[in-house]
Amino acid sequence: MVGNDIVDLTTSQVTAARKMRFVAKVFNAKERAFLAQGAYQSSDIWTLWAMKESCYKYVVQHGYAKRFNPLDFSCQVAKVGKAQVAINSNYYACSLYTTEAYVYCAIGEDRAITLGGHAVRTSEKAIMDSAELYDYAIRAIEQRYGYKQNSVEIKLDVNRIPRIYVDKQFQPIHLSLSHDGKFGAYLFSSL
Amino acid sequence: MANKELIQVLTTIVKPYVQDQDAFEHITEETDFINDLKINSAHLIDVVLDIEDHFDITIENEELEKMVSVGAAMALIAEKTK
C-alpha cells in the first residue's frame, strides 16, 4: 500500500488571518504547538497537511472507509528528520521532501520509495493536471516493470483509488497520485 | 433562504476551487465536492472557511466530515442559520 501528497508552496499563499483559521480547523493541540515553534511557516503547515493526506490515501487502500477528517490523523515530527502519522493507535512512517517550491510526503514500503517507484514531476504546462500526471506515472510503471509501451492503463475504482491494468488485466500494483499547482507526484509499490 | 438561492450562493463559493467544469455546470444538491467537482481536500477547508464568512456561522471541527456534498452543506447551513 502507498499514499502520497504534494503541495505547491508557490500557489498556497494565504493571508495570515486565514492561515490561522485553517490551522485551527485541521490541526490538534500538539500539531499547533509544533507549528507555533516555527512561527507558523507555510512550509511547516503544508508538510503536516501532506502527512495527513498521504496517510489518508494509504489507509483508504487498506479499506479504511471513512471520509477524510484531518483531525483523525495525528502528525509527529521529530527535530531530526523522523516523521510519522498516528491513527487508531497505528503509526505510519513518512518520507518527507521539502524544497522552496513544494513539500512532498510519501508513505509506503521502503522498496517503492528507494527503488524508483516514486518521483516528483514539474508540469510542462501552467499547471499539472490529472492527464499529464497519469502519463508520467504510466511511463514510469512501463519502464520499471518492462511492460510494452501503451499497455498500461490507470482506472479509478468505486472508491476513487487508482488501479493499474496491463493489456486490460488488473495488476496488484498499488498506486498513489497527487498534483497541486505546477507539481505532480506518483508513488507505486513493487509487485 | 430558499434552496434555489442557497445553491446559487454555494455555487459562487465553490467556483474558484472546482476542477471539473462539466460537473460544476450541472451542480445539484447531490453533487459531491470531491468526487464530482474534484475539489481537493485542502480547498474543501477553504470552502468551509468561505461558508463561515458568508453566513457568519462556525462549522465545528468534528462537523468537517459532514461537508461532503452540496446538499450536506445546505443542511448544515440551514441548521446553523435557523
Side-chain angles (χ1 to χ4, degrees), chain B residues 3 11 18 33 40 49 53-54 64-65 69 76-77 80:
Chain B
N3 277 1
T11 300
V18 166
F33 290 131
N40 72 32
L49 296 177
D53 290 343
H54 186 90
L64 288 178
E65 65 185 37
S69 65
L76 199 56
I77 293 164
K80 288 178 177 289

Side-chain angles (χ1 to χ4, degrees), chain A residues 21-143:
Chain A
R21 288 176 65 203
F22 183 90
V23 165
K25 277 276 183 257
V26 305
F27 296 118
N28 64 34
K30 283 186 178 175
E31 292 163 345
R32 292 197 300 273
F34 167 79
L35 294 172
Q37 287 175 2
Y40 300 98
Q41 285 182 69
S42 291
S43 58
D44 285 347
I45 291 171
W46 291 116
T47 295
L48 296 192
W49 175 267
M51 289 169 65
K52 288 171 184 265
E53 184 85 33
S54 301
C55 191
Y56 170 69
K57 290 179 180 176
Y58 183 91
V59 296
V60 158
Q61 293 191 0
H62 279 282
Y64 178 78
K66 282 180 71 178
R67 285 281 184 159
F68 179 47
N69 186 333
L71 289 171
D72 291 341
F73 299 83
S74 180
C75 299
Q76 299 164 357
V77 183
K79 283 181 181 169
V80 192
K82 190 177 175 187
Q84 61 183 8
V85 182
I87 177 169
N88 297 335
S89 304
N90 294 316
Y91 292 84
Y92 303 92
C94 301
S95 298
L96 297 176
Y97 307 84
T98 305
T99 72
E100 287 187 356
Y102 65 79
V103 295
Y104 174 53
C105 177
I107 298 178
E109 54 182 287
D110 289 345
R111 288 180 64 197
I113 291 172
T114 59
L115 295 181
H118 81 132
V120 171
R121 299 287 187 185
T122 304
S123 177
E124 294 176 357
K125 298 176 281 189
I127 59 163
M128 176 76 75
D129 60 18
S130 297
E132 188 179 9
L133 180 57
Y134 274 36
D135 201 46
Y136 279 124
I138 285 169
R139 298 290 91 80
I141 290 165
E142 286 173 349
Q143 194 169 20

Side-chain angles (χ1 to χ4, degrees), chain A residues 11 14 18 21-22 24-27 32 46 49 53 56 66-72 128 130 156 158-160 179-180, chain B residues 17 19 32 34-36 38 40-43 45-50 52-53 57-65 68:
Chain A
T11 59
V14 294
R18 190 164 176 104
R21 288 176 65 203
F22 183 90
K25 277 276 183 257
V26 305
F27 296 118
R32 292 197 300 273
W46 291 116
W49 175 267
E53 184 85 33
Y56 170 69
K66 282 180 71 178
R67 285 281 184 159
F68 179 47
N69 186 333
L71 289 171
D72 291 341
M128 176 76 75
S130 297
L156 299 180
V158 291
N159 297 313
R160 302 196 61 76
H179 62 91
D180 185 45
Chain B
Y17 312 115
Q19 293 188 42
D32 187 292
I34 292 176
N35 293 335
D36 296 325
K38 310 288 192 296
N40 72 32
S41 302
H43 284 155
I45 305 298
D46 284 316
V47 170
V48 169
L49 296 177
D50 289 347
E52 287 186 338
D53 290 343
I57 59 175
T58 300
I59 295 171
E60 304 299 337
N61 294 356
E62 51 276 15
E63 292 172 321
L64 288 178
E65 65 185 37
V68 295

